[in-house]
Amino acid sequence: QPPPPPPAPVVRPMPEGPFKRLNDSVAKESFAEDKMRIISMAAGDNYFLISQVAQLLNHFPFSQDKLTAVRALKPRILDPENGYQLYSAFSFSSDKKRLQEILAQR
């Protein structure tokens, strides 16, 4: 009989220590483009909780940049059901609607 299938890989959010270093690195950058570059690099190998995404969004003053960051991190978010926690990062209804659309995408 064939061997059993391998166990599914365990997916965990980015650990606290490395996340703090990522958050600090993003904070040190002056421009949104550079902040996004760091976030995109981190998203390649890590998974995130909504609470971590919220912390990263704090580094962007403009809604458009925040939405870009959410779009980049979306495939790596482990608890999208908690996405409502990100609404407080946005002031305008139109941006909150856009956020909802991004999080709803499969």
Side-chain angles (χ1 to χ4, degrees), residues 10-46:
V10 177
V11 178
R12 291 197 173 85
M14 193 173 193
E16 199 54 44
F19 179 75
K20 183 178 176 352
R21 288 191 292 280
L22 167 65
N23 206 22
D24 291 346
S25 295
V26 173
K28 285 182 186 129
E29 294 299 330
S30 300
F31 300 106
E33 190 178 309
D34 298 325
K35 293 175 192 288
M36 271 309 306
R37 189 172 297 117
I38 292 171
I39 289 173
S40 295
M41 286 171 57
D45 301 321
N46 296 287

Side-chain angles (χ1 to χ4, degrees), residues 50-104:
I50 287 289
S51 58
Q52 293 174 318
V53 174
Q55 289 179 59
L56 293 172
L57 293 187
N58 287 333
H59 300 298
F60 294 97
F62 301 112
S63 295
Q64 209 44 51
D65 296 328
K66 292 178 186 188
L67 290 169
T68 300
V70 172
R71 206 173 284 115
L73 294 170
K74 163 74 173 74
R76 312 300 279 183
I77 294 174
L78 294 177
D79 59 342
E81 68 277 5
N82 293 324
Y84 65 88
Q85 295 173 15
L86 297 179
Y87 283 109
S88 61
F90 297 90
S91 303
F92 301 107
S93 294
S94 57
D95 294 329
K96 292 177 185 192
K97 184 176 186 314
R98 203 55 214 108
L99 171 67
Q100 183 181 1
E101 291 167 1
I102 293 167
L103 293 175

